[in-house]
Amino acid sequence: MKNNKYVEYCSACGLCQAKGYADFSYKKGFLTPNIKTDDFGFFDKVCPVSGTAYKIQGEWGGYNSVYLGYSTDPDVRLKASSGGVITAISTYLLEEKKVDGIIHSGKDDEKPWRTKTYCSTTIEEINKRCGSRYSQSMPLADIFNLTSKDKKYAYIGKPCDVLALTNYFNIDPEFRKRFVCTISFFCAGAPSEKAQMELLEELKCSPDDCADLRYRGNGWPGYATAISKNGKETQMTYNESWGRILGRDIRKSCKFCMNGTGEPADISCGDAWYLNDDGTPDFTEGTGRNIVFGRSLVGADILRNAMEAGYVDLSDYSGEISEFKKAQKFQYERKATMLEKCLAMLIMFKKTPSYKYCDLCRVSRSSTGISFKRRCNIFLGTIKRIVKGKI
């Protein structure tokens, strides 16, 4: 049934709940929908797993401009997850009165390992809520209450959230008029509630005693940091927190995502990691910088204007973009080898996302630098994970 597809590969954007078609609860650590309708028309048109998505392109997707850059405010650059460009662009849009508010995610003050969606209308609110949130969230569940038809907004969210919102724009053009632009960030997956508990345990901070949980920032990449109610602070490196705990327990939809770099957004940003001598990303602490894509004409204009106004320092990266696959190997390889993963699922009689195999083949053929042996290992590894019940 279609119901199974929308539940199994749900990204938990929450838009179906906002429209009254579903409600969400935690199951096995993940926000999971209970669909309350037999009419799947809305899901078919809007849901990120519906197959009505943007046209999937190879490598980094379509864009008008691409830069390396960072916020010109050193405090923002330090506090943010990487170069602070998204925070700087948000500041520009508010201060130059291009928007009335920024719709984005931030820490849930009552349960700091969880995430809430806010409409920030001041620079103080933007700065307070900046930084990565590696947890479950439903950023579109309250989108209609957070916006007003007589005001303008920018939306910042995960790639799948932006996709759901832009899909919805197609069926509600009046609502579309509320938004000046959409902004996304690179995403490797949404970790479970169970992973949050494991992280807190490793940081020796119980949920009841947790006053703050920061996943990155205050450096690049920054440390996962828990602060107890008595002020005690414990830390863990990004490699340990994401690589050993959080990244090991993500949503099923994240494992089969081809939209990790925010292709449907007007602007998308990610970490522009420096490289070690062996060509692998260097995660030792440094001064943050972003790769920044202006994916639409609107996004390209905003970036150019923000740079001219002095909010961001951007340098053209179009000539070197072919080398970026080394800095973001995971994102590049996950997309380029989706054909092998989906074929393995098909052979094992498992439901796959609604990708067209002609698109998977096209993306696979256009990808370079991935050996036949590596592709075979991914194919066989997917089968092994299916047999072990990990997929």
Side-chain angles (χ1 to χ4, degrees), residues 130 146 184 225 370:
C130 79
L146 289 171
S184 190
T225 305
I370 302 175

Side-chain angles (χ1 to χ4, degrees), residues 18 37 41 44 110 132-133 153 329 338 374:
T37 178
D44 292 340
E110 294 183 3
S132 296
R133 300 298 306 167
Y153 304 90
K329 181 180 178 181
M338 193 58 64
R374 177 59 178 157

